[in-house]
Structures are given as C-alpha cells and as structure tokens.
Amino acid sequence: MKRRNFIRSGALAIAGFTILPRHILGGTNFVAPSDQINLGIIGCGAQGRWTLAPEFARRANLIAAADCESRQLKAMQEIVEKETEKAKGQAYKGFKLYADYHELLNRSDIDGVIIATPDHWHAVQTIEACRAGKDVYVEKPMSHSIEEGRAMADAVEKYNRVLQVGNMQRSWRNFRHACELVRNGYIGEIKEVKVSIGPPPVKYDLPAQPVPKTLDWEMWIGPAPMNVYNEELAPPMERNMFPNWRNYKEYGGGMICDWGAHMFDIAQWALGMDDSGPIEFTPPEEGELRPLSMRYANGTVMTHEPFRKADGNAVRFIGSDGVIDISRSFLDTIPAKLQDEVIGEDKIKLYKSDDHYNDFLTSMKTRKQPLSTVEIGHRTASLCHIVNLCYEFDRKLVWNPEKEEFFFDDEANKRRGNPIREPYSLKV
C-alpha cells in the first residue's frame, strides 16, 4: 500500500473512534480528548448568542463561530469569552470568527458543531457537517421539509455521526413525567390529544429595505428562494428581538413548526410514536368550529387547537380515566395526585436527561444515541410539515409513515421537498 493511501486509510479508521479512552492515551494526569470536546457554532443570531453559546461555553470548548452578519459575530465572541472565563476561571482569547461556515467545518480540531441558523439552512449545513466528520447539535425544528429531514438522517447514518435535536423539553422533568404517566396507563386509554400552538406560516411578501452593510444577504438566503431584504427576517441587533423569518414559509414553518417541534414532539413521545406519526390529517371544515385533526393508526385522535387560550403552548392528554395538561409553566392532572406519582421501576421508564446540552456531549464521548435523535427530530418535523400542507391545501391528506409518502396525491408528494438553490444540495 502506498504511503498516501495508508495514511488516508488510517485517518478514516481513526475517524470512527475519535474519542479514545483515557487509559489508552496516557497516564492518570493525561487529559483525554473526551475531556476536551471542541465545538464550533454556526449562526450567531438571538438563539445562538442568548441560549446555545452560553450553555455550551460552560460545558465544552467553544472555539469558533460562523455567521454572515459581522456584528453578530463580534457579539458572539464577547459572550463566549465572558462565559468561558466565568466557567474556567481564566481569560480566553482564542475564539475564531468566520464569515463563511465552510472554513469552520474545514478545521480538523473541531469535533462537533452547533447549528443555530434559520430553518432553511439546517439540512444543508447538517449534511456538510456530517461529511466533514463533525457531530451535530441542530436547533428545532430539525428540517424545513420532509425530504430534508430524511436526507439529514441518511447523512448521520452514512458518516456515523451523533446528532442531537434541540427539543430540550425532553430533558425537563415535568414533560418526562407526563409522558411516563401516559405510557403507563395512569389515565387509562388515550382517547384524544390536544396541542395548543400558533398558526402556520404565510408567503413572504414584505417590502424591500436596504441591506445592512454588515450583512451578507446572499449567504443569509443560501439554499432558499432569493427575496428582497426586510429587517423582520434579519433584524439589526438594536432591536434586541428574535427574528420573524420563522413566520414565512420560504424560511420557516410558522408556529406550527416553531412550537410544534416542542409540543407535537411531547405528544409523539408520550404516545410511543417516535418512529411513526399520524396517518390521516383533516382540516377544519368551513363554517364549523372543529379544529384540524390527525388520526393515528391505532385510532387515537390529535387536534391542533387553543384549548387553554390564556396559557399559550401546551398539550392535553385525555384518557378514559383522567386528563393531563402539560406546558412549560404547569403540569395539571386529573386525578391531582398524579402530579407527584412515583413511577415504579417495574413500569415503562423513558430516557432520562436533566441537561439536554450535556446529553449531547456525553453521546459524543460514548457514541451512544442521545435523547432527541435525528430520527425523532425527523418524525416530529414531518408531522409539523404535513399539518402546514393540510392547512394550505385545505383537504384531507392520507400519509404512510413507513414509506413517507401520501396516498394517491401527486401534488402533496411533490411538496415533500423544497427547491434548493445552486450550488447547494441535499446530496449525502
């Protein structure tokens, strides 16, 4: 074997075992790579700066960031340096900034990436990260279309990567407890599930505004359809807000995807449907008060409706023997004693995590599946995408979760994916 091929083969073999046990690498004082996870973050907007970067800077080595807005990049640097110094007790000045995320992905010293870009970027960047040998923490909703989600799952499998979706409610005690109550039959047979979240997205129609000099608008658009700039999509930092690109179907999935990625996800978890989904989606009929409904193969019906309008986003499980309402601010049960029920070890116990970020880092070390896998994220996002299509088409959609296709509906099947602008692609 030629030396070049030998080195390449060896590197590929090592890539499958990037985290090595301490005893293999050195003595008791040796700091193993598993204790030095290096991360990069792609996307320095509100979610990246305010939520993800501080959390990961405290738990790992966050060493680089990429963004198409230069001021956001500098703001990210300040946050990471501050949080790293607080966590480790010493000043940190090695944080690198990139206007093009490909440069970040090309770094051999980065083990994993956090993808905190708008939804329309998730698939392309996840696939490229997997191809570059990086593990991935990707914000929810995982994908911007059904086809994108499947391509992401294929990339994770092909390149043997770990991927955690940012459905962090699965790492919250009350949500896990509610799901275990449902799974173990504490409220009897589930008759209906109500999910209270906001509306679907609308077509982008905002007027053009001057593109800020600090923003690379072509890079922001990336694989999505080109449109005029408006600050609702990428607001100046002075507005101190979460951007509204998620309200427009070209770039997000409305509140159906934004909050459905959380609340439909909890419903799927409780019903044991993480590898499947509803088979029938029926829109509201004109002039009637009935909500959009979804039916699972076992007969369970789930609806999209504001059942507790004053309380915002939540899930209600209606069983033959009781009711459970769960949100980020309450866990209400009938009977009331279920709130504090101790679920025995002989019962169904769901994956327990109290720290969604550490769960990802632990999976990077052990190579075991994290709490919210790519398949789970794909199934939850697919449900959201189909709900949006059902509203848009205003007709019943019949879905085959195994084949991931609609029955006898060419129009709906064509919409399982979105157009991808060149030179970007979903090629795995």
Side-chain angles (χ1 to χ4, degrees):
M1 179 181 288
K2 292 183 178 180
R3 181 178 183 274
R4 179 181 300 172
N5 291 336
F6 176 80
I7 292 173
R8 180 177 181 274
S9 299
L12 289 174
I14 292 171
F17 301 94
T18 55
I19 307 300
L20 299 178
R22 182 187 304 273
H23 69 272
I24 294 177
L25 294 165
T28 56
N29 294 324
F30 185 83
V31 181
S34 57
D35 298 327
Q36 298 184 44
I37 290 178
N38 291 331
L39 299 176
I41 184 167
I42 303 173
C44 300
Q47 181 68 3
R49 294 197 316 274
W50 298 343
T51 302
L52 298 177
E55 297 291 350
F56 280 108
R58 299 176 196 131
R59 294 166 171 81
N61 296 335
L62 188 51
I63 64 174
D67 199 274
C68 57
E69 215 287 344
S70 60
R71 290 202 300 165
Q72 289 186 167
L73 265 176
K74 291 297 293 181
M76 174 67 83
Q77 182 178 26
E78 293 174 5
I79 289 171
V80 171
E81 289 179 351
K82 177 182 176 181
E83 293 298 332
T84 301
E85 183 173 357
K86 283 168 56 178
K88 301 181 180 180
Q90 58 186 22
Y92 172 54
K93 300 298 181 183
F95 196 69
K96 300 298 183 183
L97 306 179
Y98 300 98
D100 185 340
Y101 71 90
H102 294 99
E103 295 182 56
L104 185 152
L105 292 180
N106 287 336
R107 284 185 55 167
S108 61
D109 60 339
I110 290 180
D111 307 304
V113 295
I114 305 151
I115 297 178
T117 46
D119 297 354
H120 68 274
W121 264 113
H122 288 182
V124 168
Q125 289 173 337
T126 293
I127 292 168
E128 291 180 350
C130 290
R131 189 183 300 126
K134 317 301 184 190
D135 294 325
V136 177
Y137 183 103
V138 60
E139 258 305 328
K140 59 78 203 169
M142 190 188 85
S143 66
H144 191 221
S145 75
I146 298 168
E147 287 185 353
E148 287 183 10
R150 179 48 59 201
M152 294 166 79
D154 290 344
V156 169
E157 180 179 8
K158 178 177 179 179
Y159 298 106
N160 193 27
R161 295 294 92 203
V162 166
L163 183 145
Q164 173 91 301
V165 185
N167 296 327
M168 75 284 193
Q169 288 182 170
R170 289 194 176 217
S171 292
W172 293 16
R173 182 266 176 191
N174 279 1
F175 285 104
R176 181 174 62 251
H177 185 62
C179 291
E180 288 184 341
L181 290 173
V182 172
R183 285 277 194 104
N184 287 289
Y186 281 92
I187 59 171
E189 181 183 357
I190 300 301
K191 300 294 185 181
E192 187 177 0
V193 181
K194 297 179 185 291
V195 178
S196 177
I197 51 175
V202 297
K203 185 175 177 57
Y204 184 66
D205 60 355
L206 297 178
Q209 294 177 333
V211 178
K213 294 180 180 179
T214 55
L215 174 65
D216 182 342
W217 184 237
E218 175 72 27
M219 178 63 84
W220 191 97
I221 290 289
M226 175 56 74
N227 265 310
V228 298
Y229 169 80
N230 186 285
E231 65 178 27
E232 288 298 299
L233 297 185
M237 290 179 59
E238 290 81 6
R239 291 189 64 182
N240 200 35
M241 59 175 282
F242 280 92
N244 288 323
W245 50 258
R246 53 184 49 82
N247 293 333
Y248 301 97
K249 62 178 63 178
E250 293 86 348
Y251 312 109
M255 295 301 103
I256 296 295
C257 283
D258 190 59
W259 273 99
H262 286 306
M263 297 305 174
F264 282 131
D265 184 63
I266 293 302
Q268 288 268 105
W269 199 22
L271 296 175
M273 291 292 174
D274 276 342
D275 60 351
S276 185
I279 62 170
E280 191 175 270
F281 296 73
T282 305
E285 293 186 15
E286 187 175 356
E288 293 192 11
L289 298 177
R290 292 191 307 165
L292 183 145
S293 66
M294 296 148 267
R295 182 176 63 84
Y296 287 87
N298 63 6
T300 300
V301 173
M302 181 161 64
T303 59
H304 169 228
E305 59 177 303
F307 62 87
R308 287 175 63 154
K309 293 184 179 180
D311 294 321
N313 307 292
V315 184
R316 171 174 289 170
F317 299 97
I318 303 172
S320 56
D321 300 324
V323 177
I324 297 173
D325 283 4
I326 177 68
S327 80
R328 293 188 179 183
S329 57
F330 57 78
L331 170 59
D332 296 334
T333 64
I334 302 175
K337 66 178 183 180
L338 293 180
Q339 293 183 30
D340 301 312
E341 182 76 24
V342 177
I343 298 176
E345 293 301 320
D346 60 329
K347 303 291 186 179
I348 296 172
K349 305 290 282 188
L350 298 177
Y351 187 127
K352 183 178 180 180
S353 164
D354 294 318
D355 187 324
H356 210 61
Y357 313 107
N358 262 338
D359 186 64
F360 171 57
L361 298 174
T362 299
S363 291
M364 288 183 68
K365 299 173 188 178
T366 64
R367 312 314 294 171
K368 293 181 180 179
Q369 290 293 312
L371 172 57
S372 189
T373 65
V374 66
E375 188 66 27
I376 289 171
H378 170 53
R379 294 295 181 167
T380 292
S382 293
L383 191 160
C384 298
H385 299 320
I386 298 170
V387 169
N388 276 335
L389 288 176
C390 189
Y391 275 118
E392 180 180 337
F393 293 152
D394 194 26
R395 66 169 184 268
K396 180 182 290 187
L397 297 175
V398 182
W399 175 248
N400 184 331
E402 294 184 5
K403 295 183 177 180
E404 295 191 293
E405 64 184 23
F406 296 98
F407 283 100
F408 306 110
D409 196 326
D410 291 340
E411 183 181 19
N413 280 321
K414 289 179 182 178
R415 290 290 300 281
R416 287 176 296 175
N418 294 320
I420 303 293
R421 282 204 315 151
E422 294 183 350
Y424 305 101
S425 79
L426 299 180
K427 183 179 179 180
V428 174

